[in-house]
Each structure stands twice: as C-alpha cells, then as structure tokens.
Amino acid sequence: QKEVEQDPGPLSVPEGAIVSLNCTYSNSAFQYFMWYRQYSRKGPELLMYTYSSGNKEDGRFTAQVDKSSKYISLFIRDSQPSDSATYLCAIKSWGKLQFGAGTQVVVTP
Amino acid sequence: DTAVSQTPKYLVTQMGNDKSIKCEQNLGHDTMYWYKQDSKKFLKIMFSYNNKELIINETVPNRFSPKSPDKAHLNLHINSLELGDSAVYFCASSQVVGGETQYFGPGTRLLVL
C-alpha cells in the first residue's frame, strides 16, 4: 500500500467553479502535509504546506487536514483556466517527501 | 535567474548506452535531490544529498550513480540504459534535509529506444 493515495483524475470543471482535491495517507504519525502544483512540462512548485489539523488559506486556495481521518484536501475557489495543472499532495516521512500520484485538473473557459 | 537548472532538457538514446544529467542550484541550499516521474506522473525520490554527502538512496539499481562535486551541483550518471528508464528526471533542492519547500528544476525527459 502506498503511503499517500490520490485519485489521478482528470478532473474537468468550468471556470469559476470550486475545485476539490483529496488525498488519504496511511500513517497517523505524519505531521507535515504539502500541495505542489505542476504545469505541463514543468517542475512541481510548492503551493501550500501545513503541519496541523484544520484549514489554511492563501488567496483562492484552502488546504485542509483531518488527522483523525488521515485525509488532506485542497480547495480552489473561483477557478481560472490558469489553474489547469496537475496537483500533487505530499507528506513528509522519514526525512523525505512522499508524493501522491497527482490529480490533473482542467478548468474550461 | 534560474534557481534550479538541469541539462539536457531532452535525451533520446539507445538501450545499453551510458548518459549523464547535470543539475545546478543557485539558491545556496545544502540539500539536493533526484526524483523520477514516470508516465503516470508518479513522482518518486531516488537520491538525496546534503553537503555533498549521500543521505537517502532509495531502491534504485546500481546503474544509477549520483555525484555531488560541490553543494551547488548534483549530477546523475546512468549506465547501460534500459527501456524502463524512460521517464522525466527532476533535480530539486531545499534548505534542510527533507524540507517541505523544495525547488524543482524543469526536468530532463529521457527516452530510451
């Protein structure tokens, strides 16, 4: 079993909709949770990270962690075509990052 | 100014050949990594170096040999290339080992024929 599970999508939404992305993880000891965004043919870039349960907001992006369910989420409000990318969740485990498979998001105008 | 750069961007080669990928970071970070991303976009760590010393070596065939001549450079040499080595290889760096904020290079797309 992978340490981080993520639905690969693709997820297609109309412009302005809320995008909801999820990951589950296996080990309740994990403390640090990240979301990376990867545009086509580019390297991933850090979007947000959090180390506690609850919500963290940054502009149109909200990261949510539910440690009791071992569930992490990313919400994108008022989605734009420029948000079209692959979103990878990651957890910090034993001094390294373990990534989910990535969810491809397509925002159509 | 590019933070993490890799060369070459594309590499097409025959099975059995040996090839190298170079990486440089100008962020002053102590830790550098090599990741492999397969065709399904799954990103997996291969190696991690801190201050030129190998910290993490995942279950990677011996044909892959990283080398860090100094803190700003981490190269990857691959011997006897196989079809299954076809992937995108990313170099990354962070301030501390296993840092949450990692800066990735643009990737090297390797195709083995």
Side-chain angles (χ1 to χ4, degrees):
Chain A
Q1 184 192 358
K2 289 197 177 96
E3 290 188 310
V4 188
E5 298 278 359
Q6 183 177 9
D7 186 338
L11 183 63
S12 184
V13 299
E15 185 176 353
I18 294 176
V19 176
S20 173
L21 304 167
N22 307 297
C23 287
T24 57
Y25 60 94
S26 58
N27 191 332
S28 56
F30 295 148
Q31 298 288 329
Y32 292 86
F33 310 93
M34 289 130 279
W35 285 97
Y36 277 76
R37 177 175 62 195
Q38 185 177 17
Y39 289 115
S40 180
R41 307 188 84 77
K42 301 279 187 192
E45 55 179 344
L46 179 69
L47 204 51
M48 298 178 73
Y49 81 83
T50 181
Y51 56 89
S52 61
S53 276
N55 293 356
K56 181 176 180 180
E57 210 170 294
D58 184 359
R60 296 184 295 111
F61 299 89
T62 300
Q64 196 173 74
V65 177
D66 181 347
K67 287 188 177 179
S68 60
S69 305
K70 291 184 276 186
Y71 201 77
I72 57 177
S73 303
L74 179 71
F75 300 98
I76 309 174
R77 287 187 302 282
D78 187 25
S79 56
Q80 305 293 310
S82 58
D83 294 326
S84 297
T86 297
Y87 291 80
L88 303 106
C89 62
I91 51 96
K92 187 173 173 178
S93 159
W94 300 105
K96 60 190 178 189
L97 300 190
Q98 303 272 20
F99 286 87
T103 301
Q104 186 187 358
V105 172
V106 178
V107 181
T108 53
Chain B
D1 226 6
T2 307
V4 182
S5 58
Q6 292 177 232
T7 52
K9 284 191 176 168
Y10 299 94
L11 201 45
V12 181
T13 188
Q14 300 287 330
M15 254 187 352
N17 283 352
D18 303 339
K19 289 292 176 188
S20 290
I21 307 172
K22 293 188 175 182
C23 177
E24 178 181 358
Q25 55 98 0
N26 63 6
L27 296 166
H29 289 164
D30 286 347
T31 308
M32 296 184 73
Y33 312 84
W34 278 111
Y35 286 88
K36 179 181 180 181
Q37 189 170 46
D38 61 25
S39 56
K40 293 185 179 176
K41 295 284 193 180
F42 187 58
L43 189 64
K44 189 166 167 53
I45 190 167
M46 300 173 70
F47 301 102
S48 167
Y49 268 74
N50 186 56
N51 266 324
K52 303 192 297 176
E53 286 193 26
L54 182 65
I55 299 293
I56 290 172
N57 182 349
E58 291 293 284
T59 316
V60 178
N62 289 340
R63 299 181 295 103
F64 290 80
S65 52
K67 272 202 174 65
S68 180
D70 55 57
K71 277 190 343 178
H73 296 84
L74 180 62
N75 304 323
L76 183 65
H77 187 76
I78 316 170
N79 288 327
S80 304
L81 278 155
E82 300 177 357
L83 293 177
D85 297 333
S86 296
V88 183
Y89 292 85
F90 287 101
C91 176
S93 73
S94 65
Q95 223 162 10
V96 296
V97 176
E100 301 82 36
T101 309
Q102 297 191 7
Y103 295 82
F104 284 80
T108 295
R109 281 154 187 80
L110 172 64
L111 178 60
V112 183
L113 303 174

